[in-house]
Amino acid sequence: MSDLSSNVNRGNSHPKEISQASELNELRNLLIGPDLKDQFENTKLRSEDVSRVLPQAIQLTLETGDKTVSKAVVPTVEQAIKSSVNTDQNILSEALFPIMGPAIRKAIAVAIQNLTDSLNQGLEHSLSPQSLGWRFEAWRTGKSFAEVLLLRTLVYQVEQVFLIHKNSGLVLQHLAAPTAAAQDADLVSAMFTAIQDFVRDSFSVSDDTLGSLQVGELTIWVNEGPQAIIACVIRGNPPGKLRQTMENALERIHLVQESQLHEFQGDSSAFEPSQPYLEECLQSQYQTKQKKSSPLKWIGGAAGILILGLGAWGMWSNHERNQVRSFVDQLNQESGIVVMQTAKKDGKYVISGLKDPLAPEPTDLISTTELDPDKIDFHWEPYLSFDTAFVKSRVKSLLQPPETVALDVDANGAVEATGTAPQAWITQANQLAVRLPNVTRFNTQEVIPVEAGVLTSIKTKIEAQTLLFTQNAQLVPKQDAKLKILVAEIKKLTKTAKTINQTVAVLVEGHTDTSGSELINLYVRETRAKAIISLLSKQGIEKSQLQAVSIEPPEVANSESAKISKSNRKVTFKVIFVNPSDAD
């Protein structure tokens, strides 16, 4: 349309042309109208229309397998990358940093590992018999030791990789390993092509690709693509995965450089971008030295285990000895046990010494520890401990004191007995106690005989008795019962006193009132006392135990004299212990 407009503008010089242009403008206005005209002429509107359909159009193109879009985009992308690098390198470096860093570290790690493996192999074989043999081989063949070392430790190595144009047979790219002796790549390629043609023509194989070729120690693996062939020269026995690596490299090269392969006219410089894919095929693998277990390691391990076992056994034995030593200290602190010796015999500890029969049993004490009772034997010799508790226990066991007697033993072996007990027990205890070992003295002075208390009770009853008389020396009638009780108590007193070797006497006290002369009253008091003594002796009481006594009447007031005079006509009694004891 712009051309038409320009033609119209330029047609001022010819009337016929002017007329045609005018007609065309008129026709255009009729067909597209002023709105469509503006849309066609406005580049911004057109760009917006294209941007809305461009993604779908690219997607449809990719789905159909058409690669024209990719080819058209690649130069633009490359130019955009170059422009971005020239403008600001940081943008692209920051974008690639997350993947470049790990890739660089991985490459460095692989290179260092290869170098380390090589050094290790050289060191390991530097002085071994095998190394000496390889050195001799290197001297004999004229090769370097490193070359022989690599050959003998090599599992496989891809020494050379050829990228060959399929139709022309020319070498597109050639890579060789640093340790490989590379030949002329074009010559090798030509020979390979010739061999491949020879095989195909001679044997009429249906598959027109030679998959592998063996030449001496070398093996040639071939992978063929639509436009190119990859051939790897391999030394050793390659793994099957190398085929997959070659196949992947070939596919990528065909994808990236398809146009160059189709348009190849003998310039191989266009295939330099394919080198990274070919480098992936330059693989190698060396033998991993199988570490043999050295006898010294076994000996060292056994020695270590033995030392460890001895250490554990020593620690356990020391722990057990400490337990036994602690238990012996515990025994020595017990009263009545003296440990004289501790020894170990036949895997058991033997503890021997002296033991009082009253001491606690060591077999019971061992249950309070962590020791195994089956590993402890005891040999005890009997002895008597002078411990005060044991002395007291032995005194009690021998004397069997009544519950009313308490015993106390001091450190010198003196035994003090207190309380009440029968005189017979007191006498026997005095005889037996001193026979016990370490009993230096047995004191029963603080023990009150039970019989003494009985004497006191009888004494009280006898002294409570009163026999009344008339004004003369005649007993008041109806006092036979009192007299009978009195006789019985005196007899009991005499009998009890004999059990404790106590001599007693009964004073028969005669009383009178104050009437009359004292001379007559004295006669009356003595007469009354003798009368009672006579009665008592007739009842079986020894006269030697009885003694008449005259008791003068007490001084009383005149108003009370008559009453007191009648009650004072009596005989009373008083018990006297000839050898006074506490009962007196």
Side-chain angles (χ1 to χ4, degrees), residues 13-27:
S13 60
H14 197 286
K16 188 178 180 178
E17 293 178 354
I18 295 173
S19 177
Q20 291 176 350
S22 176
E23 292 175 354
L24 289 174
N25 285 331
E26 184 177 357
L27 178 61

Side-chain angles (χ1 to χ4, degrees), residues 399 405-407 415-419 421 423 425-431 433 441-449:
L399 301 182
V405 173
L407 299 176
V415 181
E416 296 288 339
T418 58
Q423 183 61 42
W425 179 86
I426 296 173
T427 303
Q428 186 180 18
N430 285 323
Q431 296 174 354
R441 186 170 62 90
F442 186 75
N443 185 11
T444 58
Q445 292 182 358
E446 298 298 327
V447 179
I448 300 174

Side-chain angles (χ1 to χ4, degrees), residues 250-472:
L250 194 59
E251 291 177 355
R252 292 179 185 176
I253 292 172
H254 276 81
L255 177 63
V256 175
Q257 295 193 306
E258 182 180 6
S259 61
Q260 289 85 343
L261 289 173
H262 282 285
E263 298 170 358
F264 177 67
Q265 297 296 328
D267 183 10
S268 61
S269 60
F271 295 94
E272 291 181 356
S274 62
Q275 287 188 2
Y277 307 115
L278 299 177
E279 289 175 352
E280 295 179 358
C281 300
L282 281 177
Q283 298 181 356
S284 61
Q285 182 179 356
Y286 294 89
Q287 294 177 354
T288 302
K289 184 180 179 181
Q290 296 180 353
K291 296 182 178 180
K292 299 181 179 178
S293 298
S294 174
L296 294 176
K297 292 184 177 178
W298 287 100
I299 296 173
I305 295 174
L306 180 60
I307 293 173
L308 185 62
L310 290 175
W313 177 80
M315 292 178 62
W316 171 252
S317 298
N318 185 52
H319 176 67
E320 191 176 56
R321 283 195 298 272
N322 290 334
Q323 285 185 322
V324 172
R325 191 178 299 113
S326 177
F327 178 62
V328 169
D329 294 339
Q330 180 182 354
L331 290 178
N332 284 326
Q333 292 177 358
E334 292 290 339
S335 300
I337 296 178
V338 179
V339 177
M340 305 296 292
Q341 185 179 13
T342 302
K344 192 171 185 180
K345 183 178 181 182
D346 298 333
K348 288 187 174 182
Y349 287 92
V350 180
I351 300 176
S352 56
L354 304 175
K355 177 179 173 299
D356 191 288
L358 298 177
E361 289 297 331
T363 52
D364 296 337
L365 297 176
I366 200 173
S367 61
T368 61
T369 68
E370 297 179 355
L371 288 172
D372 185 0
D374 295 335
K375 292 186 177 181
I376 306 294
D377 285 340
F378 298 103
H379 291 168
W380 300 111
E381 294 293 336
Y383 91 111
L384 295 178
S385 173
F386 289 164
D387 185 87
T388 55
F390 290 169
V391 173
K392 184 177 181 180
S393 179
R394 282 194 288 270
V395 170
K396 284 186 174 181
S397 178
L398 177 65
L399 301 182
Q400 296 294 322
E403 295 180 356
T404 55
V405 173
L407 299 176
D408 186 24
V409 182
D410 63 13
N412 296 322
V415 181
E416 296 288 339
T418 58
T420 60
Q423 183 61 42
W425 179 86
I426 296 173
T427 303
Q428 186 180 18
N430 285 323
Q431 296 174 354
L432 296 178
V434 294
R435 298 179 182 177
L436 291 173
N438 203 42
V439 176
T440 58
R441 186 170 62 90
F442 186 75
N443 185 11
T444 58
Q445 292 182 358
E446 298 298 327
V447 179
I448 300 174
V450 176
E451 294 81 354
V454 175
L455 291 177
T456 303
S457 176
I458 297 172
K459 175 186 176 184
T460 302
K461 291 180 179 180
I462 292 174
E463 292 180 349
Q465 299 297 322
T466 301
L467 296 176
L468 298 177
F469 281 79
T470 62
Q471 189 174 7
N472 298 321

Side-chain angles (χ1 to χ4, degrees), residues 158-176 184-190 192-193 196 220-233 245-258 260-262 264 266-282:
V158 179
E159 295 187 345
Q160 300 182 64
V161 180
F162 294 88
L163 178 64
I164 303 173
H165 191 255
K166 183 177 181 181
N167 295 330
S168 64
L170 297 177
V171 176
L172 301 178
Q173 286 294 317
H174 170 241
L175 299 179
D184 186 352
D186 294 332
L187 179 59
V188 172
S189 175
F192 174 73
T193 304
Q196 192 174 23
I220 302 174
W221 277 11
V222 179
N223 274 34
E224 181 178 349
Q227 299 297 329
I229 297 172
I230 288 182
C232 293
V233 180
T245 303
M246 295 169 62
E247 187 68 27
N248 293 337
L250 194 59
E251 291 177 355
R252 292 179 185 176
I253 292 172
H254 276 81
L255 177 63
V256 175
Q257 295 193 306
E258 182 180 6
Q260 289 85 343
L261 289 173
H262 282 285
F264 177 67
D267 183 10
S268 61
S269 60
F271 295 94
E272 291 181 356
S274 62
Q275 287 188 2
Y277 307 115
L278 299 177
E279 289 175 352
E280 295 179 358
C281 300
L282 281 177

